[in-house]
Amino acid sequence: MLRLREIRKEKGITQFELGKFINVHPQRISEVEHGKKDLRLREAIKAAEFLNVSLDELAGKSNAAEGIGSK
């Protein structure tokens, strides 16, 4: 997840809080944020829900936020 750490910090959420919500150890959140591991789809969906963002935004692929491709 390219933007997981950035979004989590913007929202003032700890790795512990996010991990607890998506049912993973905070160390796994750290490993994901440092590019050592990937989130499973189920975990990514729950993380996006908890952070109140889309999966695209979480992955850093949101065109809507940047106005790219909109007419």
Side-chain angles (χ1 to χ4, degrees):
M1 297 283 122
L2 299 175
R3 296 198 59 227
L4 180 61
R5 180 181 175 121
E6 179 183 343
I7 294 169
R8 180 183 60 75
K9 286 188 164 245
E10 284 174 5
K11 300 198 179 251
I13 296 168
T14 66
Q15 289 177 342
F16 179 83
E17 292 168 324
L18 179 58
K20 185 173 181 176
F21 184 82
I22 67 173
N23 201 30
V24 300
H25 194 278
Q27 179 63 34
R28 181 156 166 75
I29 301 298
S30 177
E31 291 170 342
V32 169
E33 290 180 351
H34 288 94
K36 296 177 182 177
K37 302 266 180 156
D38 291 323
L39 286 178
R40 294 178 181 97
L41 180 58
R42 161 187 74 76
E43 296 166 347
I45 291 168
K46 289 194 76 150
E49 176 186 338
F50 187 67
L51 297 168
N52 197 30
V53 296
S54 69
L55 285 173
D56 281 345
E57 193 173 351
L58 188 63
K61 298 183 182 204
S62 177
N63 292 340
E66 299 170 9
I68 298 171
S70 59
K71 295 182 180 182

Short mmCIF file of all heavy atoms in Angstrom, two decimals:
data_model
loop_
_atom_site.label_atom_id
_atom_site.label_comp_id
_atom_site.label_asym_id
_atom_site.label_seq_id
_atom_site.Cartn_x
_atom_site.Cartn_y
_atom_site.Cartn_z
N MET A 1 0.84 -1.18 0.00
CA MET A 1 0.00 0.00 0.00
C MET A 1 0.88 1.23 0.00
O MET A 1 1.56 1.52 0.98
CB MET A 1 -0.89 0.02 1.24
CG MET A 1 -1.86 -1.12 1.34
SD MET A 1 -3.26 -0.89 0.26
CE MET A 1 -3.13 -2.36 -0.70
N LEU A 2 0.85 1.92 -1.05
CA LEU A 2 1.73 3.06 -1.19
C LEU A 2 1.43 4.20 -0.22
O LEU A 2 2.34 4.85 0.25
CB LEU A 2 1.68 3.58 -2.62
CG LEU A 2 2.12 2.59 -3.69
CD1 LEU A 2 1.91 3.18 -5.08
CD2 LEU A 2 3.58 2.20 -3.50
N ARG A 3 0.17 4.44 0.08
CA ARG A 3 -0.18 5.60 0.89
C ARG A 3 -0.69 5.25 2.28
O ARG A 3 -1.17 6.12 2.99
CB ARG A 3 -1.25 6.43 0.16
CG ARG A 3 -0.74 7.02 -1.14
CD ARG A 3 -1.59 8.17 -1.63
NE ARG A 3 -1.64 9.24 -0.65
CZ ARG A 3 -2.76 9.85 -0.26
NH1 ARG A 3 -3.91 9.51 -0.76
NH2 ARG A 3 -2.72 10.81 0.63
N LEU A 4 -0.58 4.00 2.69
CA LEU A 4 -1.14 3.59 3.97
C LEU A 4 -0.59 4.43 5.12
O LEU A 4 -1.35 4.99 5.90
CB LEU A 4 -0.86 2.11 4.23
CG LEU A 4 -1.40 1.55 5.54
CD1 LEU A 4 -2.92 1.66 5.59
CD2 LEU A 4 -0.98 0.10 5.71
N ARG A 5 0.71 4.55 5.22
CA ARG A 5 1.32 5.30 6.32
C ARG A 5 0.91 6.78 6.28
O ARG A 5 0.53 7.36 7.29
CB ARG A 5 2.83 5.17 6.26
CG ARG A 5 3.53 5.92 7.38
CD ARG A 5 5.04 5.78 7.27
NE ARG A 5 5.68 6.60 8.26
CZ ARG A 5 6.49 6.14 9.20
NH1 ARG A 5 6.79 4.87 9.25
NH2 ARG A 5 7.02 6.96 10.06
N GLU A 6 0.97 7.36 5.09
CA GLU A 6 0.62 8.78 4.93
C GLU A 6 -0.82 9.05 5.37
O GLU A 6 -1.07 9.97 6.16
CB GLU A 6 0.82 9.16 3.47
CG GLU A 6 0.46 10.58 3.14
CD GLU A 6 0.61 10.88 1.65
OE1 GLU A 6 1.27 10.11 0.93
OE2 GLU A 6 0.03 11.89 1.22
N ILE A 7 -1.74 8.25 4.90
CA ILE A 7 -3.16 8.44 5.24
C ILE A 7 -3.39 8.17 6.73
O ILE A 7 -4.08 8.93 7.40
CB ILE A 7 -4.06 7.55 4.37
CG1 ILE A 7 -3.98 7.99 2.91
CG2 ILE A 7 -5.50 7.58 4.87
CD1 ILE A 7 -4.62 7.04 1.92
N ARG A 8 -2.79 7.11 7.24
CA ARG A 8 -2.95 6.76 8.66
C ARG A 8 -2.46 7.90 9.54
O ARG A 8 -3.15 8.30 10.49
CB ARG A 8 -2.18 5.48 8.97
CG ARG A 8 -2.28 5.04 10.42
CD ARG A 8 -1.44 3.81 10.69
NE ARG A 8 -0.02 3.99 10.43
CZ ARG A 8 0.82 4.67 11.22
NH1 ARG A 8 0.40 5.26 12.30
NH2 ARG A 8 2.11 4.75 10.91
N LYS A 9 -1.30 8.47 9.22
CA LYS A 9 -0.76 9.56 10.02
C LYS A 9 -1.60 10.83 9.89
O LYS A 9 -1.80 11.54 10.87
CB LYS A 9 0.69 9.82 9.65
CG LYS A 9 1.61 8.74 10.19
CD LYS A 9 3.06 9.13 9.99
CE LYS A 9 3.92 8.26 10.85
NZ LYS A 9 4.61 9.02 11.87
N GLU A 10 -2.09 11.13 8.67
CA GLU A 10 -2.94 12.29 8.46
C GLU A 10 -4.18 12.23 9.36
O GLU A 10 -4.66 13.25 9.83
CB GLU A 10 -3.42 12.37 7.00
CG GLU A 10 -2.39 12.87 6.03
CD GLU A 10 -2.88 12.78 4.58
OE1 GLU A 10 -4.06 12.42 4.35
OE2 GLU A 10 -2.07 13.07 3.69
N LYS A 11 -4.67 11.02 9.57
CA LYS A 11 -5.89 10.85 10.35
C LYS A 11 -5.62 10.63 11.84
O LYS A 11 -6.54 10.45 12.62
CB LYS A 11 -6.70 9.71 9.77
CG LYS A 11 -7.09 10.02 8.32
CD LYS A 11 -8.20 9.19 7.83
CE LYS A 11 -8.53 9.58 6.40
NZ LYS A 11 -9.78 10.27 6.31
N GLY A 12 -4.33 10.64 12.22
CA GLY A 12 -3.98 10.49 13.63
C GLY A 12 -4.25 9.11 14.20
O GLY A 12 -4.56 8.96 15.38
N ILE A 13 -4.13 8.09 13.36
CA ILE A 13 -4.40 6.72 13.77
C ILE A 13 -3.07 5.98 13.94
O ILE A 13 -2.18 6.09 13.10
CB ILE A 13 -5.28 6.02 12.71
CG1 ILE A 13 -6.65 6.72 12.66
CG2 ILE A 13 -5.44 4.54 13.00
CD1 ILE A 13 -7.51 6.32 11.49
N THR A 14 -2.96 5.23 15.02
CA THR A 14 -1.74 4.47 15.27
C THR A 14 -1.76 3.14 14.53
O THR A 14 -2.83 2.66 14.10
CB THR A 14 -1.56 4.17 16.77
OG1 THR A 14 -2.60 3.30 17.19
CG2 THR A 14 -1.56 5.45 17.60
N GLN A 15 -0.58 2.54 14.39
CA GLN A 15 -0.50 1.21 13.79
C GLN A 15 -1.28 0.21 14.64
O GLN A 15 -1.92 -0.68 14.10
CB GLN A 15 0.96 0.77 13.67
CG GLN A 15 1.72 1.53 12.62
CD GLN A 15 3.18 1.13 12.55
OE1 GLN A 15 3.73 0.53 13.46
NE2 GLN A 15 3.82 1.49 11.44
N PHE A 16 -1.24 0.38 15.95
CA PHE A 16 -1.98 -0.51 16.84
C PHE A 16 -3.48 -0.42 16.58
O PHE A 16 -4.16 -1.44 16.48
CB PHE A 16 -1.67 -0.16 18.31
CG PHE A 16 -2.42 -1.02 19.28
CD1 PHE A 16 -1.95 -2.28 19.62
CD2 PHE A 16 -3.61 -0.58 19.84
CE1 PHE A 16 -2.65 -3.09 20.51
CE2 PHE A 16 -4.31 -1.38 20.74
CZ PHE A 16 -3.83 -2.64 21.06
N GLU A 17 -4.01 0.81 16.48
CA GLU A 17 -5.45 0.99 16.25
C GLU A 17 -5.88 0.39 14.93
O GLU A 17 -6.91 -0.29 14.85
CB GLU A 17 -5.81 2.48 16.29
CG GLU A 17 -5.67 3.12 17.65
CD GLU A 17 -5.74 4.63 17.61
OE1 GLU A 17 -5.24 5.25 16.64
OE2 GLU A 17 -6.29 5.19 18.58
N LEU A 18 -5.10 0.64 13.88
CA LEU A 18 -5.44 0.10 12.57
C LEU A 18 -5.35 -1.42 12.58
O LEU A 18 -6.24 -2.11 12.09
CB LEU A 18 -4.52 0.68 11.49
CG LEU A 18 -4.74 0.18 10.07
CD1 LEU A 18 -6.17 0.46 9.60
CD2 LEU A 18 -3.73 0.81 9.13
N GLY A 19 -4.27 -1.94 13.16
CA GLY A 19 -4.11 -3.38 13.23
C GLY A 19 -5.24 -4.05 13.98
O GLY A 19 -5.73 -5.11 13.57
N LYS A 20 -5.65 -3.45 15.09
CA LYS A 20 -6.75 -4.01 15.87
C LYS A 20 -8.04 -4.06 15.05
O LYS A 20 -8.75 -5.06 15.07
CB LYS A 20 -6.96 -3.18 17.14
CG LYS A 20 -7.99 -3.76 18.07
CD LYS A 20 -8.05 -3.00 19.38
CE LYS A 20 -9.08 -3.63 20.30
NZ LYS A 20 -9.12 -2.98 21.60
N PHE A 21 -8.32 -2.99 14.29
CA PHE A 21 -9.54 -2.94 13.50
C PHE A 21 -9.55 -3.99 12.39
O PHE A 21 -10.56 -4.62 12.14
CB PHE A 21 -9.76 -1.55 12.90
CG PHE A 21 -11.06 -1.41 12.16
CD1 PHE A 21 -12.23 -1.17 12.84
CD2 PHE A 21 -11.11 -1.56 10.78
CE1 PHE A 21 -13.45 -1.06 12.16
CE2 PHE A 21 -12.31 -1.45 10.10
CZ PHE A 21 -13.48 -1.20 10.79
N ILE A 22 -8.40 -4.16 11.73
CA ILE A 22 -8.37 -5.11 10.61
C ILE A 22 -7.90 -6.50 11.04
O ILE A 22 -7.74 -7.38 10.22
CB ILE A 22 -7.57 -4.59 9.40
CG1 ILE A 22 -6.08 -4.47 9.71
CG2 ILE A 22 -8.13 -3.29 8.91
CD1 ILE A 22 -5.25 -4.11 8.50
N ASN A 23 -7.66 -6.65 12.36
CA ASN A 23 -7.33 -7.94 12.95
C ASN A 23 -5.96 -8.48 12.50
O ASN A 23 -5.83 -9.63 12.12
CB ASN A 23 -8.43 -8.97 12.68
CG ASN A 23 -8.37 -10.12 13.66
OD1 ASN A 23 -7.96 -9.97 14.80
ND2 ASN A 23 -8.79 -11.29 13.21
N VAL A 24 -4.95 -7.59 12.51
CA VAL A 24 -3.57 -8.00 12.26
C VAL A 24 -2.68 -7.35 13.32
O VAL A 24 -3.05 -6.35 13.94
CB VAL A 24 -3.06 -7.62 10.85
CG1 VAL A 24 -3.90 -8.27 9.77
CG2 VAL A 24 -2.99 -6.12 10.65
N HIS A 25 -1.51 -7.91 13.53
CA HIS A 25 -0.55 -7.39 14.50
C HIS A 25 0.00 -6.05 13.98
O HIS A 25 0.22 -5.88 12.78
CB HIS A 25 0.59 -8.40 14.68
CG HIS A 25 1.43 -8.12 15.87
ND1 HIS A 25 2.44 -7.19 15.86
CD2 HIS A 25 1.40 -8.64 17.11
CE1 HIS A 25 3.01 -7.16 17.05
NE2 HIS A 25 2.40 -8.03 17.83
N PRO A 26 0.23 -5.09 14.88
CA PRO A 26 0.79 -3.80 14.45
C PRO A 26 2.09 -3.94 13.68
O PRO A 26 2.38 -3.14 12.79
CB PRO A 26 1.01 -3.06 15.77
CG PRO A 26 0.08 -3.69 16.73
CD PRO A 26 -0.06 -5.12 16.31
N GLN A 27 2.87 -4.98 13.97
CA GLN A 27 4.12 -5.21 13.24
C GLN A 27 3.84 -5.44 11.76
O GLN A 27 4.60 -5.00 10.90
CB GLN A 27 4.87 -6.42 13.82
CG GLN A 27 6.17 -6.74 13.10
CD GLN A 27 7.20 -5.63 13.20
OE1 GLN A 27 7.30 -4.94 14.21
NE2 GLN A 27 7.99 -5.45 12.16
N ARG A 28 2.73 -6.10 11.46
CA ARG A 28 2.35 -6.33 10.04
C ARG A 28 2.05 -5.00 9.36
O ARG A 28 2.42 -4.80 8.20
CB ARG A 28 1.15 -7.26 9.96
CG ARG A 28 0.73 -7.57 8.55
CD ARG A 28 -0.02 -8.89 8.49
NE ARG A 28 -0.72 -9.06 7.25
CZ ARG A 28 -0.13 -9.36 6.10
NH1 ARG A 28 1.16 -9.54 6.03
NH2 ARG A 28 -0.85 -9.50 5.01
N ILE A 29 1.40 -4.09 10.06
CA ILE A 29 1.13 -2.76 9.50
C ILE A 29 2.46 -2.08 9.18
O ILE A 29 2.63 -1.50 8.10
CB ILE A 29 0.30 -1.90 10.47
CG1 ILE A 29 -1.04 -2.56 10.82
CG2 ILE A 29 0.09 -0.49 9.91
CD1 ILE A 29 -1.97 -2.79 9.65
N SER A 30 3.41 -2.16 10.09
CA SER A 30 4.73 -1.57 9.87
C SER A 30 5.41 -2.19 8.64
O SER A 30 5.98 -1.49 7.81
CB SER A 30 5.61 -1.77 11.10
OG SER A 30 6.91 -1.26 10.87
N GLU A 31 5.33 -3.50 8.52
CA GLU A 31 5.96 -4.19 7.39
C GLU A 31 5.30 -3.77 6.07
O GLU A 31 5.99 -3.60 5.05
CB GLU A 31 5.86 -5.70 7.58
CG GLU A 31 6.74 -6.21 8.71
CD GLU A 31 6.48 -7.65 9.08
OE1 GLU A 31 5.41 -8.21 8.72
OE2 GLU A 31 7.36 -8.22 9.74
N VAL A 32 3.99 -3.58 6.08
CA VAL A 32 3.28 -3.13 4.88
C VAL A 32 3.72 -1.71 4.53
O VAL A 32 4.04 -1.40 3.38
CB VAL A 32 1.75 -3.20 5.08
CG1 VAL A 32 1.02 -2.48 3.95
CG2 VAL A 32 1.30 -4.64 5.19
N GLU A 33 3.78 -0.85 5.53
CA GLU A 33 4.16 0.54 5.30
C GLU A 33 5.59 0.68 4.79
O GLU A 33 5.91 1.63 4.09
CB GLU A 33 3.98 1.36 6.58
CG GLU A 33 2.53 1.55 6.95
CD GLU A 33 2.32 2.35 8.22
OE1 GLU A 33 3.30 2.64 8.95
OE2 GLU A 33 1.15 2.70 8.49
N HIS A 34 6.45 -0.27 5.13
CA HIS A 34 7.84 -0.24 4.67
C HIS A 34 8.07 -1.09 3.43
O HIS A 34 9.21 -1.30 3.02
CB HIS A 34 8.77 -0.67 5.81
CG HIS A 34 8.88 0.37 6.87
ND1 HIS A 34 8.08 0.37 8.00
CD2 HIS A 34 9.66 1.47 6.97
CE1 HIS A 34 8.39 1.41 8.75
NE2 HIS A 34 9.34 2.09 8.14
N GLY A 35 6.99 -1.59 2.82
CA GLY A 35 7.09 -2.33 1.58
C GLY A 35 7.60 -3.76 1.71
O GLY A 35 7.96 -4.37 0.71
N LYS A 36 7.64 -4.28 2.92
CA LYS A 36 8.13 -5.65 3.13
C LYS A 36 7.04 -6.69 2.94
O LYS A 36 7.32 -7.85 2.65
CB LYS A 36 8.73 -5.79 4.53
CG LYS A 36 9.95 -4.92 4.74
CD LYS A 36 10.46 -5.02 6.15
CE LYS A 36 11.66 -4.10 6.35
NZ LYS A 36 12.13 -4.13 7.73
N LYS A 37 5.79 -6.28 3.13
CA LYS A 37 4.64 -7.19 3.00
C LYS A 37 3.52 -6.45 2.28
O LYS A 37 3.51 -5.23 2.20
CB LYS A 37 4.12 -7.61 4.38
CG LYS A 37 5.11 -8.30 5.27
CD LYS A 37 5.01 -9.78 5.13
CE LYS A 37 6.05 -10.42 6.04
NZ LYS A 37 5.75 -11.73 6.41
N ASP A 38 2.58 -7.22 1.77
CA ASP A 38 1.37 -6.67 1.16
C ASP A 38 0.18 -7.01 2.03
O ASP A 38 0.17 -8.05 2.70
CB ASP A 38 1.14 -7.25 -0.24
CG ASP A 38 2.17 -6.78 -1.24
OD1 ASP A 38 2.59 -5.62 -1.17
OD2 ASP A 38 2.56 -7.60 -2.10
N LEU A 39 -0.83 -6.15 1.99
CA LEU A 39 -2.08 -6.48 2.67
C LEU A 39 -2.87 -7.44 1.80
O LEU A 39 -2.87 -7.32 0.57
CB LEU A 39 -2.93 -5.23 2.91
CG LEU A 39 -2.49 -4.27 4.00
CD1 LEU A 39 -3.42 -3.07 4.04
CD2 LEU A 39 -2.47 -4.95 5.35
N ARG A 40 -3.56 -8.34 2.42
CA ARG A 40 -4.52 -9.18 1.69
C ARG A 40 -5.70 -8.29 1.32
O ARG A 40 -5.94 -7.28 1.95
CB ARG A 40 -4.96 -10.35 2.57
CG ARG A 40 -3.83 -11.31 2.87
CD ARG A 40 -4.31 -12.43 3.79
NE ARG A 40 -3.22 -13.32 4.10
CZ ARG A 40 -2.49 -13.26 5.21
NH1 ARG A 40 -2.74 -12.35 6.14
NH2 ARG A 40 -1.50 -14.10 5.42
N LEU A 41 -6.45 -8.71 0.31
CA LEU A 41 -7.57 -7.91 -0.16
C LEU A 41 -8.54 -7.60 0.98
O LEU A 41 -8.96 -6.46 1.16
CB LEU A 41 -8.30 -8.60 -1.31
CG LEU A 41 -9.50 -7.85 -1.87
CD1 LEU A 41 -9.10 -6.46 -2.38
CD2 LEU A 41 -10.14 -8.65 -2.98
N ARG A 42 -8.87 -8.61 1.77
CA ARG A 42 -9.79 -8.42 2.90
C ARG A 42 -9.24 -7.36 3.86
O ARG A 42 -9.98 -6.51 4.35
CB ARG A 42 -9.97 -9.77 3.59
CG ARG A 42 -10.49 -9.73 5.00
CD ARG A 42 -10.47 -11.11 5.66
NE ARG A 42 -9.17 -11.60 6.06
CZ ARG A 42 -8.51 -11.16 7.14
NH1 ARG A 42 -9.01 -10.24 7.90
NH2 ARG A 42 -7.33 -11.67 7.44
N GLU A 43 -7.95 -7.40 4.12
CA GLU A 43 -7.33 -6.43 5.02
C GLU A 43 -7.33 -5.03 4.42
O GLU A 43 -7.58 -4.05 5.11
CB GLU A 43 -5.89 -6.86 5.34
CG GLU A 43 -5.81 -8.16 6.09
CD GLU A 43 -4.43 -8.77 6.12
OE1 GLU A 43 -3.54 -8.33 5.36
OE2 GLU A 43 -4.23 -9.71 6.92
N ALA A 44 -7.06 -4.95 3.13
CA ALA A 44 -7.05 -3.66 2.45
C ALA A 44 -8.44 -3.03 2.47
O ALA A 44 -8.58 -1.82 2.68
CB ALA A 44 -6.55 -3.81 1.01
N ILE A 45 -9.46 -3.84 2.25
CA ILE A 45 -10.84 -3.34 2.27
C ILE A 45 -11.18 -2.79 3.65
O ILE A 45 -11.73 -1.70 3.79
CB ILE A 45 -11.84 -4.44 1.84
CG1 ILE A 45 -11.66 -4.74 0.35
CG2 ILE A 45 -13.28 -4.03 2.15
CD1 ILE A 45 -12.38 -5.99 -0.13
N LYS A 46 -10.82 -3.54 4.69
CA LYS A 46 -11.10 -3.09 6.06
C LYS A 46 -10.29 -1.84 6.41
O LYS A 46 -10.79 -0.94 7.08
CB LYS A 46 -10.83 -4.21 7.06
CG LYS A 46 -11.88 -5.32 6.97
CD LYS A 46 -11.82 -6.25 8.13
CE LYS A 46 -12.44 -5.55 9.30
NZ LYS A 46 -13.09 -6.36 10.27
N ALA A 47 -9.03 -1.78 5.95
CA ALA A 47 -8.20 -0.60 6.22
C ALA A 47 -8.80 0.63 5.54
O ALA A 47 -8.88 1.70 6.15
CB ALA A 47 -6.77 -0.83 5.72
N ALA A 48 -9.24 0.49 4.30
CA ALA A 48 -9.85 1.60 3.59
C ALA A 48 -11.13 2.05 4.30
O ALA A 48 -11.38 3.25 4.43
CB ALA A 48 -10.15 1.20 2.14
N GLU A 49 -11.90 1.10 4.77
CA GLU A 49 -13.12 1.42 5.52
C GLU A 49 -12.78 2.20 6.79
O GLU A 49 -13.39 3.23 7.08
CB GLU A 49 -13.85 0.12 5.88
CG GLU A 49 -15.07 0.30 6.73
CD GLU A 49 -15.67 -1.02 7.19
OE1 GLU A 49 -15.42 -2.07 6.55
OE2 GLU A 49 -16.38 -1.01 8.21
N PHE A 50 -11.81 1.71 7.55
CA PHE A 50 -11.43 2.35 8.80
C PHE A 50 -10.86 3.75 8.57
O PHE A 50 -11.14 4.68 9.32
CB PHE A 50 -10.40 1.48 9.52
CG PHE A 50 -10.05 1.95 10.91
CD1 PHE A 50 -10.99 1.90 11.93
CD2 PHE A 50 -8.79 2.43 11.20
CE1 PHE A 50 -10.68 2.32 13.22
CE2 PHE A 50 -8.46 2.85 12.49
CZ PHE A 50 -9.40 2.80 13.49
N LEU A 51 -10.08 3.91 7.49
CA LEU A 51 -9.46 5.20 7.18
C LEU A 51 -10.40 6.12 6.39
O LEU A 51 -10.06 7.26 6.11
CB LEU A 51 -8.17 4.97 6.41
CG LEU A 51 -7.07 4.22 7.17
CD1 LEU A 51 -5.96 3.80 6.22
CD2 LEU A 51 -6.55 5.05 8.32
N ASN A 52 -11.57 5.59 6.01
CA ASN A 52 -12.57 6.34 5.26
C ASN A 52 -12.02 6.86 3.92
O ASN A 52 -12.16 8.03 3.59
CB ASN A 52 -13.15 7.48 6.11
CG ASN A 52 -14.45 8.01 5.55
OD1 ASN A 52 -15.20 7.27 4.93
ND2 ASN A 52 -14.69 9.28 5.75
N VAL A 53 -11.38 5.96 3.18
CA VAL A 53 -10.85 6.27 1.85
C VAL A 53 -11.21 5.12 0.91
O VAL A 53 -11.56 4.04 1.35
CB VAL A 53 -9.32 6.48 1.86
CG1 VAL A 53 -8.94 7.68 2.70
CG2 VAL A 53 -8.58 5.24 2.32
N SER A 54 -11.08 5.36 -0.39
CA SER A 54 -11.31 4.29 -1.36
C SER A 54 -10.07 3.42 -1.45
O SER A 54 -8.97 3.82 -1.04
CB SER A 54 -11.61 4.89 -2.74
OG SER A 54 -10.44 5.50 -3.27
N LEU A 55 -10.24 2.22 -2.00
CA LEU A 55 -9.08 1.35 -2.22
C LEU A 55 -8.09 2.00 -3.17
O LEU A 55 -6.88 1.88 -2.99
CB LEU A 55 -9.53 -0.01 -2.76
CG LEU A 55 -10.16 -0.95 -1.75
CD1 LEU A 55 -10.71 -2.20 -2.45
CD2 LEU A 55 -9.18 -1.34 -0.67
N ASP A 56 -8.59 2.68 -4.19
CA ASP A 56 -7.71 3.38 -5.13
C ASP A 56 -6.88 4.44 -4.41
O ASP A 56 -5.68 4.57 -4.65
CB ASP A 56 -8.50 4.04 -6.26
CG ASP A 56 -8.92 3.06 -7.34
OD1 ASP A 56 -8.36 1.93 -7.37
OD2 ASP A 56 -9.78 3.40 -8.15
N GLU A 57 -7.53 5.19 -3.54
CA GLU A 57 -6.82 6.23 -2.80
C GLU A 57 -5.77 5.61 -1.88
O GLU A 57 -4.65 6.10 -1.78
CB GLU A 57 -7.81 7.06 -2.01
CG GLU A 57 -7.22 8.34 -1.46
CD GLU A 57 -8.27 9.22 -0.82
OE1 GLU A 57 -9.47 8.95 -0.94
OE2 GLU A 57 -7.85 10.20 -0.16
N LEU A 58 -6.12 4.53 -1.23
CA LEU A 58 -5.20 3.84 -0.34
C LEU A 58 -3.98 3.34 -1.11
O LEU A 58 -2.85 3.41 -0.62
CB LEU A 58 -5.91 2.67 0.34
CG LEU A 58 -5.16 1.96 1.45
CD1 LEU A 58 -4.88 2.91 2.61
CD2 LEU A 58 -5.96 0.77 1.94
N ALA A 59 -4.20 2.87 -2.32
CA ALA A 59 -3.12 2.35 -3.15
C ALA A 59 -2.37 3.46 -3.89
O ALA A 59 -1.39 3.20 -4.58
CB ALA A 59 -3.68 1.35 -4.16
N GLY A 60 -2.83 4.70 -3.76
CA GLY A 60 -2.17 5.81 -4.44
C GLY A 60 -2.51 5.91 -5.90
O GLY A 60 -1.77 6.47 -6.68
N LYS A 61 -3.68 5.37 -6.28
CA LYS A 61 -4.08 5.36 -7.68
C LYS A 61 -5.35 6.14 -7.93
O LYS A 61 -6.02 5.93 -8.91
CB LYS A 61 -4.27 3.92 -8.14
CG LYS A 61 -3.00 3.13 -8.06
CD LYS A 61 -3.16 1.75 -8.58
CE LYS A 61 -1.85 1.04 -8.40
NZ LYS A 61 -1.65 -0.06 -9.27
N SER A 62 -5.68 7.06 -7.05
CA SER A 62 -6.92 7.80 -7.19
C SER A 62 -6.75 8.94 -8.18
O SER A 62 -6.04 9.89 -7.93
CB SER A 62 -7.35 8.36 -5.84
OG SER A 62 -8.50 9.14 -5.99
N ASN A 63 -7.40 8.82 -9.33
CA ASN A 63 -7.37 9.89 -10.32
C ASN A 63 -8.34 10.99 -9.96
O ASN A 63 -8.13 12.14 -10.31
CB ASN A 63 -7.72 9.34 -11.71
CG ASN A 63 -6.64 8.43 -12.24
OD1 ASN A 63 -5.49 8.47 -11.79
ND2 ASN A 63 -6.99 7.62 -13.21
N ALA A 64 -9.41 10.66 -9.29
CA ALA A 64 -10.44 11.63 -8.96
C ALA A 64 -9.89 12.75 -8.09
O ALA A 64 -10.22 13.92 -8.28
CB ALA A 64 -11.61 10.95 -8.26
N ALA A 65 -9.04 12.42 -7.16
CA ALA A 65 -8.49 13.43 -6.24
C ALA A 65 -7.61 14.43 -6.98
O ALA A 65 -7.50 15.58 -6.60
CB ALA A 65 -7.69 12.75 -5.13
N GLU A 66 -6.99 13.99 -8.07
CA GLU A 66 -6.08 14.85 -8.80
C GLU A 66 -6.72 15.45 -10.04
O GLU A 66 -6.12 16.27 -10.71
CB GLU A 66 -4.85 14.05 -9.21
CG GLU A 66 -4.09 13.51 -8.01
CD GLU A 66 -3.01 12.52 -8.43
OE1 GLU A 66 -2.76 12.40 -9.64
OE2 GLU A 66 -2.43 11.89 -7.55
N GLY A 67 -7.93 15.02 -10.36
CA GLY A 67 -8.61 15.54 -11.53
C GLY A 67 -8.09 14.95 -12.83
O GLY A 67 -8.38 15.45 -13.90
N ILE A 68 -7.31 13.90 -12.77
CA ILE A 68 -6.74 13.29 -13.97
C ILE A 68 -7.81 12.46 -14.65
O ILE A 68 -8.50 11.67 -14.01
CB ILE A 68 -5.54 12.38 -13.60
CG1 ILE A 68 -4.44 13.22 -12.96
CG2 ILE A 68 -5.03 11.63 -14.82
CD1 ILE A 68 -3.32 12.42 -12.37
N GLY A 69 -7.93 12.64 -15.92
CA GLY A 69 -8.86 11.85 -16.69
C GLY A 69 -10.30 12.32 -16.61
O GLY A 69 -11.17 11.77 -17.24
N SER A 70 -10.57 13.37 -15.85
CA SER A 70 -11.94 13.87 -15.77
C SER A 70 -12.17 14.89 -16.86
O SER A 70 -11.27 15.61 -17.26
CB SER A 70 -12.22 14.47 -14.40
OG SER A 70 -11.32 15.52 -14.14
N LYS A 71 -13.39 14.92 -17.34
CA LYS A 71 -13.73 15.86 -18.44
C LYS A 71 -14.77 16.83 -18.00
O LYS A 71 -15.51 16.65 -17.13
CB LYS A 71 -14.23 15.09 -19.65
CG LYS A 71 -13.13 14.22 -20.23
CD LYS A 71 -13.64 13.52 -21.46
CE LYS A 71 -12.52 12.66 -22.03
NZ LYS A 71 -12.88 11.98 -23.21
#
